[in-house]
Amino acid sequence: MKAVILAAGAGERLAPITQTLPKALLPIGSESILSRQIRQLAEHGVQDVYIVIGYEGGAIREYLAASAQPCNVYLIENPSYKTTSTAYSTLLAEAHVSGEAFYLLDGDVVADGLVFEKLAVLTGNALLYQEKSISSPEEMKVAEDGGVVFLSKTIEDERALGEFAGIARISAEASSAFFTALNKIAQDFYYEVAFNEIASEFPFALETLTEGSWIEIDFVTDYLQAVRMFTEQRDAATPAISEQVLLCPGPVMVSKKVKSALLHADIGHRETEFIEILTRCRAKLNQAYGVTGKDYTNVIITGSGTSANEALLSSYGPGKKLLILSNGEFGNRLIDLARCHELDVNGINFGWANKIDLSKVEELVATGLYDALMVVHHETSCGMLNPINELGALLKKYNVDFLVDAVSSIGAEALSVEEANITFCTASANKAIASLPGLAFVCGKKTAFQALKEQKARTRYLDLYKHYEYEALTFQTPNTPAVSLFYALEVALDELLQDTVAARKEQYSYLAGLVRERLKKLGMQFVIEESDMSCVLTTVYYPQGIDVEAFHDWVKQNNYVIYRGKGPFLGKAFQIANIGHVREEHVLSFLDMMERGFQMTETTASVTH
């Protein structure tokens, strides 16, 4: 098998690091991008690799000559690299591979071994791509028209299946036709145009790649992301810098990789580099929200989870009749936000820690008086998980919009905005997504976002349509964003999607089980039924006779942070969260320390070790 690697470009957008070094020689750990590609190809059956060089071609020659290669490597010079594009560079390999099957790789793609394993078993024409519901203008997108594959950077998100990964297999049967098509197109076109020319006669199979298995390096930010993805190991335990163990429902402990993401290249938020980060984060957020189709999108707001809720209510709410359900502090906050903006709202309070009465809700919704209902998915003031899917089905029956605050459930609980028929859903970065505080999100139906254009928003900074207009339509933010937090968010989303939400939920459920079993053995009482609890938070009454303040002082002295009960549970209950990068050893150590702390009485203000 043969392969062609395109490495002629100057990599101007990676300046200054490519001023004297070609992009293909940028190091990824102990290897360069190029040597990594050659090794991976050789490991998967490639005997001959043809590399098209141009910018700093001499450096590539010297680099390859300095060490033995795992297969035959041949260099092809493109002396016109400054004025030609990838189509011309590919054409220069015609004499070496035309009429034969070969792999074609962009020289700036870094991928893991599984990508090359997938490539090695392919037959016929094939393109590797990643499914995406949100793409940036820079990405080479893939679509199908009448069953025929089509590639272009200008394909709209609604039509695009995802992003081409810059890795393809061209069959022996199609090879000559491919080079014939390259000969016909202009020198400054992309080689993907030739794929389009032959796709109807020589169809391409599409092979999907998983999130985090590859990256194309166009900007310094991409390069730093590649180094993080393929060289840094995720920490098995909370890094030493985190002296306190946070067993509270937010802020949460984050991984070492998330923290290290703050050490990044400075970029302007109106530049292409930020457009790429913003778009990637939005695409990955859609996955976290359970989006599989084209009907939903999202926006990212610099602010806390409350900013997302206020943006939603103040932008969507005017002129609407709202029904807001509450069974705790955060449901009450939603009602307060609606009243702050003088919205037409009916707040139904079922009482702290009480279940939502679905029959009562249906009775209200069936009147036809309400345009929308809003509820908190995970009411963290008591740890109750509210019945989102049941409410979604009920509201669909009566054609009522569904607004959900999922600030502390996204990333931990099973929630799909599609399956629950949610119109808009809010969340934030520093809960179960396990990133740093300061970013919030609103995911919603595209039609619902578009309908906001006719609404008169009550705020400027939190004008939800303005955020949609900028982020989804022009790939920008309306105001200066917290750029560094986007770097951290992308790493956190990569970790979440690599783990999968289902696996995170399983792990959180296991940790919660450790907490609850120990508490039951101590004869302690939960505030709500165990079957109603989320997988990340346990609210439990204090044992009788302890000094509450002395107990919390004891906990803090031992470098743990837990939260006191709120509202009617203040002084009566406390909360133990197992969210974020909390490990089993943290939970077990805390439970042992907690038992010692319970030795305190009202007359004993401290406990000895």
Side-chain angles (χ1 to χ4, degrees):
M1 190 65 180
K2 295 181 176 181
V4 175
I5 299 175
L6 305 178
E12 294 175 351
R13 294 185 294 189
L14 277 160
I17 60 176
T18 54
Q19 285 181 349
T20 58
L21 185 71
K23 186 174 9 176
L25 297 188
L26 291 177
I28 305 293
S30 60
E31 298 177 293
S32 68
I33 297 173
L34 183 60
S35 60
R36 180 187 176 96
Q37 287 184 331
I38 294 171
R39 173 182 59 78
Q40 290 172 316
L41 287 167
E43 289 173 349
H44 293 87
V46 173
Q47 294 85 34
D48 300 311
V49 176
Y50 297 88
I51 305 170
V52 184
I53 60 175
Y55 175 70
E56 291 291 334
I60 293 179
R61 289 183 184 277
E62 292 177 9
Y63 177 84
L64 293 174
S67 60
Q69 301 303 317
C71 62
N72 299 318
V73 176
Y74 307 94
L75 298 179
I76 303 169
E77 191 82 31
N78 178 1
S80 304
Y81 71 88
K82 290 182 179 180
T83 57
T84 59
S85 190
T86 58
Y88 184 73
S89 286
T90 308
L91 185 59
L92 294 176
E94 180 179 14
H96 306 282
V97 297
S98 182
E100 301 180 63
F102 68 97
Y103 301 133
L104 179 61
L105 287 79
D106 289 343
D108 57 1
V109 172
V110 183
D112 64 25
L114 294 177
V115 170
F116 287 86
E117 287 181 19
K118 175 168 286 194
L119 184 66
V121 299
L122 296 177
T123 58
N125 288 341
L127 304 177
L128 274 58
Y129 84 109
Q130 182 184 327
E131 294 180 347
K132 288 187 175 183
S133 58
I134 298 175
S135 302
S136 82
E138 287 291 318
E139 295 172 3
M140 182 62 69
K141 291 173 272 294
V142 181
E144 282 187 317
D145 188 0
V148 178
V149 170
F150 180 79
L151 296 92
S152 174
K153 289 190 174 185
T154 60
I155 297 172
E156 296 178 351
D157 280 351
E158 284 71 18
R159 291 184 55 213
L161 300 174
E163 179 186 5
F164 174 48
I167 303 175
R169 185 188 192 278
I170 293 91
S171 68
E173 295 77 15
S175 181
S176 296
F178 173 62
F179 284 105
T180 298
L182 285 172
N183 270 293
K184 292 179 180 179
I185 63 179
Q187 292 186 357
D188 59 350
F189 275 47
Y190 298 113
Y191 66 77
E192 288 88 349
V193 174
F195 287 164
N196 297 339
E197 290 293 318
I198 68 170
S200 58
E201 184 178 357
F202 300 98
F204 283 87
L206 294 176
E207 294 293 327
T208 60
L209 299 181
T210 59
E211 185 72 60
S213 65
W214 72 283
I215 187 171
E216 179 186 17
I217 299 176
D218 285 327
F219 304 99
V220 173
T221 52
D222 299 329
Y223 174 59
L224 296 176
Q225 176 77 347
V227 171
R228 284 192 290 266
M229 288 170 62
F230 295 105
T231 67
E232 294 182 7
Q233 299 296 315
R234 289 177 60 178
D235 50 325
T238 302
I241 193 173
S242 182
E243 296 180 356
Q244 295 183 340
V245 177
L246 303 182
L247 299 182
C248 53
V252 302
M253 294 190 296
V254 302
S255 72
K256 181 179 179 181
K257 286 186 72 173
V258 170
K259 290 177 180 175
S260 68
L262 296 179
L263 301 174
H264 60 82
D266 293 328
I267 60 173
H269 72 285
R270 297 300 183 205
E271 302 303 313
T272 307
E273 292 91 332
F274 181 72
I275 290 175
E276 290 291 294
I277 295 173
L278 170 64
T279 307
R280 289 198 304 265
C281 285
R282 292 178 58 237
K284 293 169 185 179
L285 273 171
N286 256 19
Q287 293 183 61
Y289 272 106
V291 175
T292 60
K294 299 292 185 180
D295 295 335
Y296 283 82
T297 189
N298 66 75
V299 299
I300 304 175
I301 299 169
T302 295
S304 67
T306 299
S307 71
N309 285 327
E310 185 157 7
L312 174 56
L313 284 168
S314 64
S315 300
Y316 172 90
K320 301 284 201 313
K321 177 68 174 178
L322 305 179
L323 178 64
I324 299 181
L325 311 181
S326 176
N327 53 359
E329 178 184 8
F330 293 95
N332 289 348
R333 284 193 188 183
L334 295 179
I335 296 171
D336 178 66
L337 278 173
R339 289 173 177 165
C340 176
H341 290 281
E342 300 180 342
L343 303 180
D344 187 359
V345 60
N346 183 12
I348 303 299
N349 198 324
F350 291 94
W352 284 56
N354 290 331
K355 291 184 180 182
I356 288 175
D357 184 341
L358 290 173
S359 61
K360 174 65 173 177
V361 174
E362 182 162 18
E363 179 183 328
L364 290 166
V365 171
T367 63
L369 297 176
Y370 299 101
D371 298 296
L373 177 147
M374 189 166 188
V375 69
V376 176
H377 184 202
H378 177 212
E379 179 50 75
T380 51
S381 60
C382 60
M384 180 172 286
L385 204 61
N386 285 320
I388 296 302
N389 289 331
E390 292 84 349
L391 285 166
L394 188 157
L395 296 175
K396 184 176 182 180
K397 175 181 174 182
Y398 292 99
N399 196 31
V400 172
D401 286 349
F402 192 17
L403 317 179
V404 175
D405 171 345
V407 166
S408 61
S409 59
I410 285 291
E413 298 290 347
L415 173 62
S416 164
V417 291
E418 292 173 335
E419 292 178 10
N421 191 42
I422 295 173
T423 309
F424 286 110
C425 187
T426 62
S428 68
N430 191 237
K431 304 291 185 182
I433 288 177
S435 187
L436 297 169
L439 295 178
F441 331 116
V442 182
C443 179
K445 295 179 180 178
K446 290 180 181 177
T447 53
F449 272 111
Q450 291 159 4
L452 295 178
K453 185 176 183 179
E454 307 304 321
Q455 291 279 90
K456 184 177 180 181
R458 299 289 176 89
T459 69
R460 282 289 171 263
Y461 183 79
L462 298 176
D463 182 340
L464 191 54
Y465 180 76
K466 185 67 69 177
H467 280 273
Y468 167 75
E469 183 180 45
Y470 270 76
E471 295 186 31
L473 304 182
T474 64
F475 308 99
Q476 292 279 350
T477 56
N479 313 100
T480 303
V483 173
S484 295
L485 296 181
F486 283 80
Y487 283 89
L489 174 62
E490 182 170 25
V491 173
L493 286 168
D494 285 340
E495 292 182 345
L496 172 64
L497 297 175
Q498 179 183 348
D499 291 345
T500 75
V501 175
R504 285 271 181 101
K505 177 177 171 60
E506 183 178 353
Q507 174 65 9
Y508 287 146
S509 297
Y510 171 72
L511 296 177
L514 295 177
V515 172
R516 292 163 193 173
E517 287 304 309
R518 181 75 71 92
L519 296 175
K520 286 188 285 188
K521 284 182 181 179
L522 294 173
M524 299 174 67
Q525 300 297 313
F526 299 128
V527 167
I528 60 176
E529 294 293 327
E530 201 168 346
S531 59
D532 296 326
M533 296 181 190
S534 73
C535 65
V536 294
L537 185 62
T538 303
T539 308
V540 63
Y541 290 107
Y542 295 105
Q544 291 185 353
I546 74 162
D547 185 322
V548 169
E549 292 306 314
F551 170 68
H552 283 278
D553 287 344
W554 164 259
V555 170
K556 188 67 177 291
Q557 289 167 11
N558 283 273
N559 291 323
Y560 286 89
V561 175
I562 59 174
Y563 280 177
R564 295 166 171 80
K566 298 177 174 66
F569 305 117
L570 182 62
K572 300 178 181 178
F574 66 100
Q575 297 187 304
I576 306 170
N578 50 272
I579 188 172
H581 280 254
V582 173
R583 308 299 180 193
E584 181 175 356
E585 57 266 30
H586 296 141
V587 172
L588 294 176
S589 177
F590 167 77
L591 292 172
D592 291 341
M593 182 274 301
M594 177 193 71
E595 284 197 53
R596 295 196 302 272
F598 286 158
Q599 299 171 15
M600 294 182 298
T601 67
E602 293 181 351
T603 57
T604 305
S606 63
V607 178
T608 58
H609 290 274

